[in-house]
Amino acid sequence: MGNIPAVTDAAFDADVLKSDKPVLVDFWAEWCGPCRQVAPILDEINTAHGDKLTFLKMNVDENPVTPSNYRVTGIPTLAVFQNGEIVKTIVGAKPKGALLKELEAFIG
């Protein structure tokens, strides 16, 4: 799905928590319609702003530990991590304009 790399439970600490720039993690699943709806929008935002914000996808069915640790109960959930902490959470599919507004602090 798209041009956003996947992150696993095993790589989460290194790829997300220890990243030197903010990381948006898209918690998603194959069977989730709204997840498929938001995927191309995230691809577009990643293409335009990937230099300021790292975009990663985590399949919650294949990687159950991390979503459980962060109490991800609904998908899609977009979580922005900065300095090892969640600083923003967006739950549900949103149109591009709404996502850009939510992410403004990170992408300028």
Side-chain angles (χ1 to χ4, degrees):
M1 262 170 59
N3 57 13
I4 297 176
V7 64
T8 62
D9 284 337
F12 191 81
D13 192 52
D15 291 354
V16 177
L17 301 181
K18 291 191 166 81
S19 175
D20 56 353
K21 70 179 184 179
V23 180
L24 181 144
V25 179
D26 173 18
F27 292 97
W28 71 285
E30 288 283 347
W31 49 264
C32 168
C35 298
R36 288 194 300 273
Q37 209 176 1
V38 82
I41 297 169
L42 290 177
D43 284 341
E44 288 176 28
I45 298 171
N46 179 34
T47 300
H49 302 285
D51 56 329
K52 300 178 199 91
L53 183 64
T54 300
F55 286 74
L56 297 171
K57 298 179 90 56
M58 176 171 275
N59 184 318
V60 298
D61 291 334
E62 295 170 4
N63 300 282
V65 174
T66 302
S68 174
N69 288 347
Y70 289 98
R71 293 175 178 78
V72 173
T73 55
I75 54 173
T77 291
L78 309 177
V80 179
F81 291 81
Q82 196 165 23
N83 302 321
E85 302 287 327
I86 290 184
V87 293
K88 181 105 180 134
T89 305
I90 305 162
V91 179
K94 305 255 190 290
K96 185 176 179 181
L99 285 176
L100 286 170
K101 191 164 179 55
E102 293 265 13
L103 298 172
E104 211 168 42
F106 309 101
I107 58 178

